Amino acid sequence: MRLECKSLEPGPLSEKGVGGIIDCRITDSSTPVKHLSDAYGVVELALRALGVSTKPVFTENENIGDSYMLYKFHVIEEGVSLASIRLVTHNERPIRLVITIDKLAMSMMGGRDK
């Protein structure tokens, strides 16, 4: 699996407590996402590649049309939600991972408060 990630400014989402966004295109993934355990595997692998060792917590998933699925996770440490993760699949193939980082998490990491 290959990740092509870019950091985005939160824009109007900063008013909702979003401190940053990481948008990753997923390519070269040979593992289909047929079950929740497969989605966990993709998200955990991506987080490790980004230097995050905290395990994600699944919150929900939903179909988007006939061929897309959205899986939602959170990164939680010490009872505090630090980030939300969205994994998008198309025909059971992971294609995109979007991480929205909470302002609190950014301040804990020494990031700028936007």
Side-chain angles (χ1 to χ4, degrees):
M1 179 174 82
R2 179 182 156 115
L3 294 174
E4 298 171 13
C5 300
K6 59 184 173 183
S7 178
L8 304 172
E9 292 293 322
L13 291 176
S14 66
E15 295 174 18
K16 294 183 176 186
V18 174
I21 300 169
I22 300 172
D23 182 13
C24 300
R25 184 173 152 229
I26 301 172
T27 58
D28 299 332
S29 179
S30 59
T31 305
V33 177
K34 294 183 178 185
H35 306 285
L36 180 56
S37 60
D38 301 329
Y40 263 111
V42 170
V43 171
E44 288 176 342
L45 186 62
L47 288 176
R48 278 196 305 271
L50 294 170
V52 178
S53 60
T54 304
K55 291 206 175 270
V57 176
F58 174 75
T59 57
E60 65 182 302
N61 64 307
E62 62 183 278
N63 288 321
I64 303 172
D66 292 337
S67 58
Y68 289 88
M69 178 69 78
L70 178 67
Y71 295 89
K72 300 177 185 180
F73 296 84
H74 286 287
V75 173
I76 300 172
E77 281 193 10
E78 298 179 17
V80 177
S81 179
L82 302 177
S84 296
I85 302 166
R86 307 291 192 273
L87 171 65
V88 181
T89 65
H90 179 249
N91 293 326
E92 299 180 343
R93 187 175 55 94
I95 59 169
R96 191 155 227 101
L97 187 82
V98 179
I99 303 169
T100 54
I101 305 168
D102 192 274
K103 280 184 180 181
L104 174 63
M106 292 189 77
S107 66
M108 291 170 64
M109 295 183 303
R112 295 181 293 158
D113 186 25
K114 298 185 190 254

